[in-house]
């Protein structure tokens, strides 16, 4: 579903991604871990062309989205993105936030857009909040609206960039529950997060990045239970010290 080959990204002289190769199969939940500044978020942003790769190719369902003539508007409908900060329009209702791209980009009628929007809100457990405004919601509810906005487009893959890091700890569980249900429904997802417990429990594949490169990857059991690389071991040891 997602195939990344030889991906490089530089900002001036700073090489942030140094030849990333990664394959994500349909229905897989791939979890990316690593220290801050290792390039994880930049990698996600390259996957829907919010950042332009310096070199390499990204294929979504067999289509090269880095090709010169790629249709970015259409591509971004296939690749949902859920951000750390919810990026909701404060002056618009929850339903209008969720259906905006359906109406403006996909040119659906208001009734059709609303039907899909309500269906997406139902999936994240917020259908009763459709007429509310973002400021009337908790952070966790706002993030679930952000997820619904992505789902309404019926994407082929959803990218999550630190979806819980701006939330109070007691609100994190509701968002992770929605993500777990999406996985159970067969959604292909790539997640950058520090929620290691969720990674152990829900991920199919874990990728450890450091200094712009993939250092090690494998099942959660392999990465958390028997990491092979010294940098992976050091990162996980620091995490366990911190949590203790």
């Amino acid at each position: 579903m997602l195939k990344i080959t030889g991906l490089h990204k530089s900002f001036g002289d700073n090489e942030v991604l140094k030849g990333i190769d990664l394959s994500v199969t349909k229905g897989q939940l791939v979890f990316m871990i690593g220290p801050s500044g290792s390039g994880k978020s930049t990698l996600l942003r390259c996957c829907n062309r919010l950042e332009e790769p310096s070199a390499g190719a990204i294929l979504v369902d067999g289509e090269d989205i880095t090709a010169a003539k790629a249709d970015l508007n259409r591509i971004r409908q296939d690749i949902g993105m859920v951000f750390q900060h919810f990026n909701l329009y404060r002056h618009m209702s929850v339903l209008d936030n969720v259906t905006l791209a359906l109406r403006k980009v996909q040119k659906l009628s208001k009734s059709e857009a609303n039907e899909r929007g309500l269906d997406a809100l139902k999936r994240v457990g917020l259908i009763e909040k459709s007429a509310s405004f973002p400021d009337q919601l908790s952070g966790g509810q706002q993030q679930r609206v952000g997820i619904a906005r992505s789902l309404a487009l019926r994407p082929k893959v959803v990218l999550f960039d630190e979806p819980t890091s701006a939330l109070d700890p007691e609100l994190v569980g509701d968002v992770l529950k929605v993500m777990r249900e999406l996985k159970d429904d067969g959604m292909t997802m790539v997640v950058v997060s520090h929620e290691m417990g969720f990674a152990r429990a829900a991920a199919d594949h874990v990728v450890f990045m450091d200094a712009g490169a993939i250092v090690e990857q494998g099942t959660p059991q392999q990465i958390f239970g028997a990491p092979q690389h010294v940098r992976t071991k050091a990162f996980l040891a620091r995490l366990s010290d911190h949590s203790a």
Side-chain angles (χ1 to χ4, degrees), residues 98-144:
V98 171
T99 59
L100 183 64
L102 298 177
R103 291 181 279 116
K104 300 292 188 191
V105 180
Q106 293 193 349
K107 306 296 186 193
L108 297 187
S109 68
K110 186 168 184 181
S111 62
E112 199 177 353
N114 284 351
E115 187 178 332
R116 272 179 51 179
L118 290 169
D119 183 57
L121 286 168
K122 187 177 180 182
R123 287 182 76 180
V124 301
L126 284 178
I127 197 162
E128 78 285 356
K129 297 289 187 184
S130 62
S132 301
F133 286 83
D135 290 342
Q136 297 172 306
L137 306 181
S138 71
Q141 289 171 328
Q142 289 185 57
Q143 187 59 289
R144 282 150 65 197

Side-chain angles (χ1 to χ4, degrees), residues 16 37 41-42 60 67 112 118 120 174 189 199 237 244:
V16 178
S41 291
T42 301
V60 175
E112 199 177 353
L118 290 169
D174 287 342
M189 298 188 282

Side-chain angles (χ1 to χ4, degrees), residues 4 44 57 68 75 80 125 193-194 199 207 231 239:
I4 301 167
L44 283 195
I75 283 163
S193 174
H194 296 289
V207 177
R231 279 148 78 190
L239 282 186

Side-chain angles (χ1 to χ4, degrees), residues 23-194:
S23 290
V24 180
T25 57
K26 191 173 190 297
Q28 233 184 2
L29 194 167
V30 172
F31 211 94
M32 312 202 68
I33 63 172
S36 295
S38 57
K40 306 181 301 293
S41 291
T42 301
L43 175 59
L44 283 195
R45 292 172 69 84
C46 285
C47 286
N48 73 346
R49 299 274 302 271
L50 286 173
E51 298 288 357
E52 284 299 315
S54 304
I58 301 169
L59 277 71
V60 175
D61 202 14
E63 179 185 9
D64 185 357
I65 68 165
T66 49
K69 292 182 178 176
D71 179 349
L72 283 188
N73 265 341
R74 190 179 54 72
I75 283 163
R76 288 188 179 134
Q77 295 171 53
D78 286 340
I79 308 164
M81 185 102 183
V82 178
F83 300 91
Q84 175 177 350
H85 299 289
F86 325 121
N87 298 348
L88 301 178
Y89 291 106
R90 298 270 168 249
H91 65 287
M92 294 169 62
S93 72
V94 163
L95 184 58
D96 284 344
N97 267 283
V98 171
T99 59
L100 183 64
L102 298 177
R103 291 181 279 116
K104 300 292 188 191
V105 180
Q106 293 193 349
K107 306 296 186 193
L108 297 187
S109 68
K110 186 168 184 181
S111 62
E112 199 177 353
N114 284 351
E115 187 178 332
R116 272 179 51 179
L118 290 169
D119 183 57
L121 286 168
K122 187 177 180 182
R123 287 182 76 180
V124 301
L126 284 178
I127 197 162
E128 78 285 356
K129 297 289 187 184
S130 62
S132 301
F133 286 83
D135 290 342
Q136 297 172 306
L137 306 181
S138 71
Q141 289 171 328
Q142 289 185 57
Q143 187 59 289
R144 282 150 65 197
V145 173
I147 295 172
R149 179 178 52 192
S150 279
L151 296 180
L153 290 166
R154 298 183 178 163
K156 294 176 177 177
V157 57
V158 181
L159 313 173
F160 292 84
D161 188 10
E162 300 279 10
T164 59
S165 63
L167 301 179
D168 293 332
E170 68 270 20
L171 301 175
V172 168
D174 287 342
V175 173
L176 296 182
K177 179 173 178 281
V178 168
M179 293 169 67
R180 186 65 184 258
E181 288 167 355
L182 291 179
K183 174 184 161 39
D184 291 343
D185 287 345
M187 178 60 76
T188 309
M189 298 188 282
V190 182
V191 179
V192 169
S193 174
H194 296 289

